[in-house]
Amino acid sequence: MTQRKRLRLGDLLVENRIITQEQLETALEQQKATGQKLGRVLVECGYVSEDELLRFLSAQLKVPLIDLAQFPLKPEVVRLIPEIHARRFRVIALTEEEDAVLVGMADPTNIFAYDELSRILKKTLKVAVVRESDLLRTLDTAYRQTEQISDLAEELGDELAVTDEYLNELADSVDHSDAPVVKLLQSLFEDAIRARASDIHIEPDEKALRIRQRVDGILHEHIIKEKRVANALVVKLKLMAGLDISEKRLPQDGRFSLQVHDRNIDVRLSTMPIYHGESVVMRLLDQTGGIPDLESLGMPDELREQFETAVRSPHGMVLVTGPTGSGKTTTLYSTLKLLNKPEVKIITVEDPVEYRLPRINQVQVNHEIDLGFARVLKAILRQDPDVVLIGEMRDVETVHIGLRAAMTGHMVLSTLHTNDAISTATRLLDMGAPGYLLASSLRAILAQRLIRRICDSCKTVHEPDPQEQSWLEKAGGTGHSYYIGSGCQKCHHTGYSGRIAVQELLMIDKELSLALASGDNREFIQAANLAAGYRPLGQVAMDLARKGVTTLEEVMRVAAEIEVDIENDAEPFMEEASLTLSSDAEILDEESPMERTFSFSDTELSLSSVDD
């Protein structure tokens, strides 16, 4: 086994005039205080860039510099190094030969790590240098727990030979921390958090159990052959959510909280009886990062400034529209964060309450006791609010109360399920809202969709295929460059990483108010299309495709319907386009007054209950 001599990174950098002796001494002092690696301290201090440091180490040590995002990893090779050692030493196994293993290291000068890995692998080590940030992301992907989930499911299946006895034992003890079902759930949640999943679907089939995770709006499936574990999982989840485990014929909704990898996750759970058992869908709401600012949602500056002007008005109504799963709630919570000041009283009525916000009075709708939106709204207006948020305009009575509240000195925020901003106003007229109330109350309508971002690590120029080219010719989008993601480790080989909102804003000016007051839908639509600053969703989506933010495939996927204004066919096709998104997300209602909090340790799941 090749012995490696000890190298002092700081001395090498000074010797090669990458940094000065004074910078090295400052960094060493900071290293003593923080305990970080010297290379990380030098990068954070700005004395050297990470890429420059990596290139230097590669040249000095005569080892290759590898881009992990583009490297074709094999799971069986990666797992040659146990996860605990991979994370401890910041290392990953890249390739395996008969008598050697190529490993990528964030710090190839770490002699202790080199010796320990040689002992573990019992082969000669060949070293490559990799970027630490890429390494940590890759470790999260490479050590996903799909195999562990299958193994735990098989172990649990063995214990279910006498199913009724096991389920009775499970039902008798909420804190059954050593049960394989708890370990299986722990692995499910940990894997979902690592994959950035927004939902977990548990679906029993005839001969298998399907576990599906929704990542960036798209479902990814993992099949467990041991179907018998489904009942045990459902029972445990119902216990965690405080639901009736004996009721299997009716849908149930609940919620609980848990901690996974130091992240506080709020879980909204819905069960539904299906042919082969009960289906469970869990919406995962990460409370750790807090509510995002409007700036971080991707709103163009001009649109954001107009929107902020509208919501800061002393009274009026602002609507955020789009199908389920289009990010309306996130936009509204970001708006509340903007308005949340000590001098402003804010009351919300929601179904369900998704995020807890300080200083804001949040009311949970409960239909079992006839506490609906309209009834809560009547009580809210006697609580002297400045801002009122209505979770959704579901019926004519709620619309009327909201409009009158907006007209009588309150800022009202709400949502509506419509395709675009223009159709929102006409929908309200069709629902029976008086034109004069809309004209005097409505300030702005924001319509939005969510589309997936191209992964920056594997973005490449895309030549539109014949179908896309035909679509572009109709849409007036030819003559531009477009991009796709080729797929890499960072994006789980999907070509996409994260999502961004596509938004159109219709500000209700004097001309539009007059059109609303007349109650003439056609007059309003014509005036809205000519409104200053109004840009339809189609234009905004195509702009993002031209800028390389998203793909043509993604724009076409969400463009469920494109309408052409026949009366003005001389204009570009996208001028009158509207986009609709087929809804993939589920509506999970929560009516339980009890919130349950769980904490995952390495092997235990503990339960505590606190009142809402």
Side-chain angles (χ1 to χ4, degrees):
M1 214 170 286
T2 304
Q3 290 292 323
R4 293 168 60 85
K5 64 178 181 179
R6 185 171 183 81
L7 299 173
R8 295 176 64 88
L9 175 61
D11 293 339
L12 286 173
L13 290 170
V14 172
E15 181 180 337
N16 287 269
R17 298 181 180 180
I18 305 296
I19 62 173
T20 66
Q21 184 65 37
E22 291 76 14
Q23 289 174 331
L24 174 60
E25 292 173 0
T26 301
L28 288 172
E29 288 296 324
Q30 185 167 334
Q31 182 190 26
K32 291 179 182 178
T34 62
Q36 291 179 307
K37 296 287 186 181
L38 178 60
R40 175 53 50 193
V41 173
L42 291 169
V43 171
E44 291 182 355
C45 288
Y47 297 151
V48 61
S49 70
E50 184 175 18
D51 287 342
E52 186 179 8
L53 179 61
L54 293 177
R55 287 194 296 268
F56 172 77
L57 287 172
S58 175
Q60 286 292 318
L61 302 177
K62 296 181 174 57
V63 297
L65 172 60
I66 290 179
D67 182 0
L68 280 179
Q70 305 298 330
F71 193 86
L73 292 174
K74 295 181 179 179
E76 64 274 14
V77 174
V78 171
R79 293 179 183 274
L80 290 174
I81 301 176
E83 181 179 3
I84 186 172
H85 296 297
R87 294 187 181 278
R88 178 186 176 189
F89 298 129
R90 298 289 196 267
V91 62
I92 187 169
L94 301 174
T95 61
E96 181 184 23
E97 300 173 3
E98 186 174 345
D99 58 350
V101 177
L102 174 65
V103 298
M105 302 181 69
D107 180 11
T109 66
N110 189 337
I111 303 301
F112 177 76
Y114 183 90
D115 293 340
E116 185 69 12
L117 290 170
S118 297
R119 183 188 64 80
I120 293 171
L121 295 172
K122 296 180 174 58
K123 288 187 177 183
T124 301
L125 289 192
K126 295 181 179 180
V127 176
V129 60
V130 296
R131 185 177 290 103
E132 184 174 12
S133 56
D134 289 346
L135 173 64
L136 294 177
R137 277 196 299 268
T138 304
L139 292 179
D140 286 341
T141 302
Y143 288 98
R144 286 191 60 189
Q145 296 172 287
T146 51
E147 292 182 10
Q148 181 181 353
I149 290 170
S150 297
D151 293 341
L152 287 170
E154 185 176 347
E155 177 185 348
L156 178 57
D158 294 339
E159 294 201 13
L160 292 177
V162 186
T163 306
D164 292 339
E165 290 183 8
Y166 181 86
L167 294 181
N168 290 335
E169 178 186 356
L170 189 62
D172 290 339
S173 176
V174 174
D175 186 17
H176 203 76
S177 55
D178 291 331
V181 66
V182 176
K183 297 177 183 177
L184 177 56
L185 280 175
Q186 178 179 343
S187 296
L188 280 175
F189 285 120
E190 289 179 351
D191 189 59
I193 297 304
R194 287 183 176 180
R196 298 179 295 105
S198 61
D199 303 82
I200 301 175
H201 296 231
I202 300 176
E203 303 168 341
D205 209 337
E206 183 179 3
K207 297 181 180 180
L209 175 65
R210 299 181 187 276
I211 305 292
R212 299 200 279 179
Q213 298 175 348
R214 190 178 298 282
V215 181
D216 292 337
I218 304 299
L219 285 172
H220 301 267
E221 184 175 81
H222 175 58
I223 296 178
I224 295 178
K225 295 181 180 179
E226 186 55 71
K227 184 200 169 184
R228 289 181 298 177
V229 305
N231 287 338
L233 284 177
V234 172
V235 168
K236 186 61 180 178
L237 288 169
K238 283 184 174 180
L239 288 171
M240 293 168 68
L243 303 180
D244 183 358
I245 63 173
S246 64
E247 180 56 77
K248 301 179 180 180
R249 300 167 300 170
L250 297 174
Q252 296 188 68
D253 300 315
R255 75 188 303 161
F256 57 88
S257 298
L258 52 85
Q259 291 184 342
V260 183
H261 296 310
D262 298 324
R263 306 186 72 85
N264 298 318
I265 308 298
D266 201 23
V267 181
R268 293 194 347 236
L269 178 144
S270 173
T271 69
M272 178 174 291
I274 59 176
Y275 189 77
H276 294 292
E278 286 184 275
S279 168
V280 177
V281 174
M282 292 178 284
R283 169 67 54 85
L284 309 180
L285 301 170
D286 191 347
Q287 307 281 351
T288 306
I291 307 299
D293 297 321
L294 284 173
E295 294 91 331
S296 62
L297 296 182
M299 280 189 182
D301 291 340
E302 183 178 355
L303 185 147
R304 178 173 52 82
E305 290 171 3
Q306 289 180 310
F307 182 72
E308 289 184 2
T309 298
V311 299
R312 290 182 188 275
S313 300
H315 58 84
M317 177 180 284
V318 174
L319 297 175
V320 179
T321 73
T324 301
S326 59
K328 300 186 300 294
T329 301
T330 300
T331 299
L332 283 178
Y333 274 112
S334 298
T335 304
L336 291 183
K337 183 178 180 180
L338 173 74
L339 301 176
N340 191 6
K341 302 287 190 281
E343 63 272 17
V344 179
K345 176 151 186 174
I346 302 175
I347 305 179
T348 74
V349 49
E350 306 172 63
D351 186 19
V353 174
E354 294 194 8
Y355 292 93
R356 278 72 168 178
L357 299 172
R359 200 187 292 118
I360 294 178
N361 298 280
Q362 296 174 271
V363 182
Q364 168 70 55
V365 166
N366 190 339
H367 296 289
E368 290 185 358
I369 59 173
D370 195 27
L371 189 66
F373 282 102
R375 186 170 184 178
V376 175
L377 274 174
K378 293 176 183 178
I380 281 178
L381 297 180
R382 295 192 289 270
Q383 292 282 311
D384 188 31
D386 297 297
V387 178
V388 176
L389 183 144
I390 306 171
E392 183 184 346
M393 294 287 193
R394 292 188 177 180
D395 52 59
V396 176
E397 186 180 7
T398 304
V399 171
H400 277 259
I401 297 174
L403 286 171
R404 293 187 182 278
M407 193 173 63
T408 55
H410 307 88
M411 169 49 61
V412 178
L413 307 173
S414 189
T415 70
L416 203 64
H417 288 272
T418 54
N419 290 338
D420 54 29
I422 295 177
S423 64
T424 300
T426 60
R427 171 72 62 83
L428 291 171
L429 288 171
D430 292 339
M431 289 176 68
Y436 72 90
L437 272 182
L438 288 174
S440 60
S441 303
L442 200 55
R443 295 286 177 266
I445 304 170
L446 181 76
Q448 66 180 54
R449 303 288 185 278
L450 292 178
I451 59 176
R452 292 182 292 173
R453 289 177 176 268
I454 298 174
C455 175
D456 291 332
S457 297
C458 58
K459 182 190 295 186
T460 182
V461 176
H462 171 59
E463 185 66 32
D465 60 32
Q467 180 183 2
E468 292 170 336
Q469 190 64 38
S470 175
W471 190 83
L472 285 172
E473 289 172 359
K474 296 177 182 178
T478 57
H480 298 275
S481 296
Y482 296 97
Y483 301 84
I484 61 169
S486 58
C488 64
Q489 296 292 334
K490 181 180 177 181
C491 62
H492 306 286
H493 299 283
T494 63
Y496 297 98
S497 180
R499 290 190 289 178
I500 186 173
V502 178
Q503 299 163 318
E504 66 176 21
L505 179 64
L506 182 64
M507 299 292 292
I508 307 300
D509 56 20
K510 183 177 180 180
E511 187 173 352
L512 290 176
S513 294
L514 291 174
L516 284 173
S518 70
D520 188 333
N521 282 349
R522 186 175 183 82
E523 180 183 347
F524 176 80
I525 292 171
Q526 290 175 343
N529 278 311
L530 298 175
Y534 171 68
R535 302 188 72 247
L537 282 169
Q539 285 186 8
V540 180
M542 286 298 294
D543 286 347
L544 292 176
R546 293 186 188 112
K547 292 177 181 177
V549 176
T550 191
T551 62
L552 280 176
E553 177 189 18
E554 184 68 2
V555 174
M556 293 171 66
R557 184 182 70 85
V558 300
E561 181 181 341
I562 297 179
E563 298 176 350
V564 184
D565 185 351
I566 302 176
E567 296 180 358
N568 194 9
D569 59 2
E571 295 293 325
F573 182 82
M574 294 303 295
E575 286 291 335
E576 301 300 329
S578 64
L579 300 181
T580 59
L581 175 64
S582 58
S583 172
D584 288 324
E586 290 73 21
I587 300 176
L588 303 179
D589 295 332
E590 194 279 306
E591 299 173 357
S592 172
M594 183 73 73
E595 176 190 348
R596 293 161 180 257
T597 304
F598 300 85
S599 176
F600 276 143
S601 62
D602 288 340
T603 58
E604 294 185 347
L605 178 66
S606 60
L607 165 67
S608 63
S609 297
V610 294
D611 290 332
D612 251 344

